[in-house]
Amino acid sequence: MKKLSILSILIAIVLFIGCATKKQPVDLVLKNANIYTENEKNPKAEAVAIKDGKIVFVGTDKEIEKYIGEKTKVTDLGGKTVLPSFIDSHTHPGLVAMTSGNAELAKYSIPGTSIEDTYAYLRKIAKENPNLPYLMIGTWSNPLFGVKGPDRKILDEIFPNTVVILLDSSGHSYWLNTAAFKAFGIDENTPDLKEGLSFFVKDKNGRKTGWVKEFALMPYLANMPQPAPEQLAPAIEGYLNSLAKNGVSTVMDAGNFNAEETIFKAVQMLEKEGKLPVRYEATHHLYMPSQLKDAVNKVLEYRKLYGSKLLTFNTIKIHFDGVNEINTSAVLEDFANEPGNKGGMLYNEEELKNLMLESAKHNINVHLHTVGDRSTRTALNAMEQAQKEYGKKLPVQLTLSHLETVHPDDMPRFKQLGVHANFTPHWFGGTVFHGSKEALGEHRFAHNQPVGAVLKAGANVTFSSDVVSKPQEYRANPFLGIEMGATRQDPALGKNTPIFGQKSDRVSIKNMVKGYTINNAKQLAMQNEIGSIEVGKSADFVVIPSDIFTMDVYEISKIKPTAVYFEGKKQELK
Ligand SMILES: [Zn+2]
């Protein structure tokens, strides 16, 4: 008996030593690579081992040997650079699909040269299509029409019978004729959706001019027929594939207005068919005051109906204010071109605070569209009050997105309150916000999107594409974002083009990559699963031919990944 037990102890020791030196063989090993892990404790590595889609070891080529078994696939990357896959934490696959299905939008293109050219173009459409029942196209240039905006009188002249809805260049307002008013049942008594934000513009006599700002039209458009999920699925897949090819493994869908359920069904369909190339965090989108009371329940309902491994529901998205271009963003000081107007917000501080306290009970995060400095301050105040009431740090990730103007006093509050600051770097080139200069005035415009200052104040800064249409699809490329964040110049305009805004708002490549990886994972409360190359996390990598941290900054937007791994598998993308 005694002999046997000594023997078994010996065997156990031998086995134990064996285990310590010869590890369980893994599925995949990537080696001879220049790996930036985005894990501060172990920032650089040469090799990584993957089993069951998860990272099990990160280290040197020598150390990785013991993970290689007979069935392990070993890939020698020949010194190529590996980064954790990117996260696009505010984009709109659903809107891309909805707009790419609209052939009318692609068929017409209203010139932005002058008011007269605009009218002439519309007259031409009317002449060529005398019996058109319905016309919804874009986009007319709102800077041309100033703060008063366009009027339906001229549209009625050109289109007396056709129902006309013309989308503006900011994407945040419509120009309607009287036939459209009649079709929707809108008259002079129709109330506004939200003062200063979503409303019918009136002339000095109180007559509705036909210019409709933000979401005032949404309740009416909700009754219009929608495409079926199966019609939208291919366009969603196409957009997600283009993101995945550029190294994106996780997206947050930042809202689909009244089409959200159709989009969720389409994404669910893609996952079931094995065609979903990314993790998809879906959001419930609030843009009308009436949606507030049911918001949390709606997320819980979506979780139950559509939630799965790759399709998750942990976020409420709120269109908290509007945009500078049409004076609907909430600003601390009056718009430069419209004294007396400070824009508007969908909810007040108290309402937002209560929503966050309710969200905290169900692990729901809150993501806000905040363009103006007043909406940003209100949201920070709401978080401060919510934490006071809760008595400790609220388990809600609050993200403020866009942040075109941030008051310097509010910058340190992001860090203090643990609020994420989300920016869209491909807008840092100066071509997107021309229309907002008049509204903001020189000084505020000169500090547009102050990412460097917010970063310096200690915020967790994150990046995303916010792409909403098919023609913009190429702008969602994170490599374009990284280059533009670092240069504040658009590669399309060349490297001698003036820097957009402040030179001090240029961001280092290090912080750009962080903002697309680990910082974004924190924003989504997924930092234990994704965002860095670390043991236990999903094996999501992007392999690129050159070292992004040492190469010419002006070449970064041209990077084409040589391989993309999602959950340990090399992606084969159409
Ligand atoms: Zn958006």
Side-chain angles (χ1 to χ4, degrees):
M1 264 314 266
K2 210 180 172 189
K3 244 186 188 170
L4 191 67
S5 62
I6 288 169
L7 189 66
S8 57
I9 289 165
L10 276 175
I11 290 169
I13 289 169
V14 168
L15 277 175
F16 177 76
I17 293 166
C19 282
T21 52
K22 191 76 201 169
K23 300 277 180 181
Q24 279 270 309
V26 297
D27 304 328
L28 173 69
V29 158
L30 303 179
K31 61 179 225 179
N32 189 18
N34 174 31
I35 303 174
Y36 291 95
T37 65
E38 295 306 322
N39 168 13
E40 269 169 18
K41 287 182 212 128
N42 179 30
K44 286 289 306 272
E46 294 170 340
V48 56
I50 296 116
K51 192 169 170 60
D52 301 325
K54 293 262 164 58
I55 298 164
V56 294
F57 180 78
V58 183
T60 63
D61 284 341
K62 201 164 165 245
E63 290 166 317
I64 208 88
E65 289 301 323
K66 57 181 175 282
Y67 291 89
I68 299 173
E70 252 171 57
K71 287 182 185 153
T72 305
K73 182 175 165 52
V74 180
T75 303
D76 184 321
L77 287 175
K80 286 195 188 85
T81 295
V82 177
L83 302 172
S85 289
F86 301 124
I87 300 163
D88 188 339
S89 61
H90 181 134
T91 191
H92 296 274
L95 297 184
V96 168
M98 299 279 282
T99 52
S100 68
N102 190 337
E104 293 293 302
L105 276 174
K107 208 161 87 188
Y108 299 111
S109 163
I110 303 171
T113 38
S114 70
I115 290 181
E116 281 318 309
D117 291 349
T118 306
Y119 294 160
Y121 188 80
L122 293 171
R123 280 200 185 93
K124 191 172 156 271
I125 296 176
K127 205 174 160 201
E128 286 168 4
N129 306 276
N131 300 316
L132 204 61
Y134 174 81
L135 180 73
M136 184 176 183
I137 61 165
T139 55
W140 55 277
S141 166
N142 57 45
L144 291 178
F145 290 85
V147 271
K148 269 194 183 163
D151 201 290
R152 66 185 147 116
K153 273 184 204 155
I154 185 84
L155 270 192
D156 291 347
E157 239 171 68
I158 304 171
F159 297 101
N161 302 313
T162 308
V163 170
V164 179
I165 303 165
L166 304 176
L167 187 66
D168 84 338
S169 51
S170 77
H172 285 253
S173 78
Y174 302 92
W175 175 14
L176 271 61
N177 66 352
T178 303
F181 268 28
K182 280 193 183 134
F184 290 132
I186 297 164
D187 61 25
E188 295 303 338
N189 299 317
T190 305
D192 288 330
L193 200 59
K194 188 74 194 187
E195 189 197 337
L197 177 66
S198 293
F199 61 98
F200 297 96
V201 175
K202 293 184 183 113
D203 66 12
K204 57 180 186 309
N205 302 318
R207 180 191 65 101
K208 289 185 169 78
T209 63
W211 191 17
V212 187
K213 290 193 181 182
E214 300 293 346
F215 316 116
L217 210 56
M218 281 296 169
Y220 305 97
L221 294 178
N223 301 325
M224 285 170 61
Q226 271 181 22
E230 48 270 26
Q231 281 174 288
L232 295 169
I236 295 174
E237 186 194 0
Y239 178 58
L240 296 176
N241 276 345
S242 82
L243 286 174
K245 274 186 213 162
N246 285 314
V248 174
S249 69
T250 305
V251 301
M252 193 200 85
D253 176 340
N256 297 291
F257 299 103
N258 50 41
E260 58 188 21
E261 214 153 345
T262 310
I263 303 300
F264 301 157
K265 282 178 189 161
V267 177
Q268 187 184 45
M269 215 174 263
L270 289 173
E271 186 180 7
K272 279 187 181 154
E273 291 168 13
K275 291 178 180 167
L276 191 60
V278 294
R279 247 171 242 103
Y280 199 105
E281 166 62 4
T283 59
H284 173 41
H285 188 182
L286 309 186
Y287 53 92
M288 297 189 288
S290 59
Q291 292 173 289
L292 185 63
K293 61 176 183 343
D294 220 23
V296 166
N297 281 337
K298 206 73 192 158
V299 176
L300 300 180
E301 186 188 316
Y302 287 149
R303 266 185 195 167
K304 217 186 208 166
L305 281 173
Y306 307 110
S308 66
K309 186 169 158 278
L310 293 180
L311 176 57
T312 52
F313 294 84
N314 302 310
T315 313
I316 290 172
K317 156 73 188 290
I318 306 175
H319 248 105
F320 201 51
D321 70 347
V323 293
N324 297 320
E325 287 87 336
I326 56 166
N327 299 11
T328 50
S329 58
V331 288
L332 291 166
E333 277 172 43
D334 292 1
F335 288 108
N337 59 355
E338 200 180 8
N341 184 9
K342 287 187 169 63
M345 280 180 286
L346 188 59
Y347 306 124
N348 63 29
E349 188 184 310
E350 177 81 9
E351 288 169 322
L352 181 60
K353 180 204 74 182
N354 289 337
L355 178 69
M356 286 195 287
L357 286 168
E358 184 64 20
S359 300
K361 296 176 194 162
H362 305 279
N363 292 319
I364 293 171
N365 299 321
V366 178
H367 186 106
L368 261 58
H369 163 118
T370 48
V371 163
D373 46 11
R374 187 163 64 93
S375 63
T376 295
R377 178 168 292 176
T378 306
L380 291 166
N381 290 348
M383 186 52 145
E384 193 174 316
Q385 290 310 316
Q387 290 189 357
K388 257 187 206 152
E389 235 168 86
Y390 196 70
K392 55 185 174 192
K393 198 179 178 304
L394 201 70
V396 169
Q397 301 305 315
L398 174 65
T399 302
L400 306 187
S401 185
H402 311 320
L403 301 168
E404 285 182 49
T405 50
V406 183
H407 193 282
D409 292 352
D410 291 323
M411 289 181 184
R413 301 178 73 202
F414 284 87
K415 187 181 180 200
Q416 286 156 14
L417 297 163
V419 174
H420 310 281
N422 175 256
F423 292 91
T424 296
H426 76 87
W427 293 344
F428 296 166
T431 51
V432 183
F433 296 114
H434 273 323
S436 63
K437 199 172 183 173
E438 286 73 26
L440 291 174
E442 284 294 338
H443 179 74
R444 277 183 293 190
F445 186 72
H447 291 267
N448 194 286
Q449 300 171 94
V451 56
V454 171
L455 194 65
K456 218 172 151 194
N460 185 58
V461 170
T462 66
F463 299 116
S464 61
S465 70
D466 201 14
V467 157
V468 295
S469 73
K470 189 82 186 160
Q472 285 187 324
E473 197 172 271
Y474 77 99
R475 305 287 294 182
N477 179 359
F479 295 107
L480 175 68
I482 292 170
E483 177 175 324
M484 288 185 69
T487 62
R488 289 187 81 96
Q489 291 163 297
D490 192 327
L493 303 173
K495 51 168 124 168
N496 296 321
T497 191
I499 292 168
F500 177 64
Q502 304 297 311
K503 201 173 178 182
S504 56
D505 281 319
R506 282 177 160 180
V507 174
S508 67
I509 302 299
K510 189 169 169 256
N511 281 319
M512 287 308 303
V513 172
K514 266 190 183 318
Y516 272 107
T517 56
I518 188 67
N519 291 4
N520 258 340
K522 289 176 189 165
Q523 177 190 311
L524 299 179
M526 293 175 82
Q527 70 272 28
N528 295 329
E529 292 105 66
I530 56 172
S532 64
I533 300 176
E534 233 173 297
V535 171
K537 290 197 183 183
S538 183
D540 302 347
F541 320 110
V542 51
V543 183
I544 55 177
S546 33
D547 187 331
I548 195 166
F549 295 99
T550 57
M551 68 189 285
D552 178 0
V553 175
Y554 290 102
E555 295 292 313
I556 290 176
S557 61
K558 296 177 199 152
I559 292 177
K560 295 265 169 281
T562 56
V564 178
Y565 290 85
F566 182 55
E567 297 186 326
K569 286 196 187 74
K570 196 172 164 181
Q571 294 264 55
E572 305 288 345
L573 299 163
K574 271 190 281 175

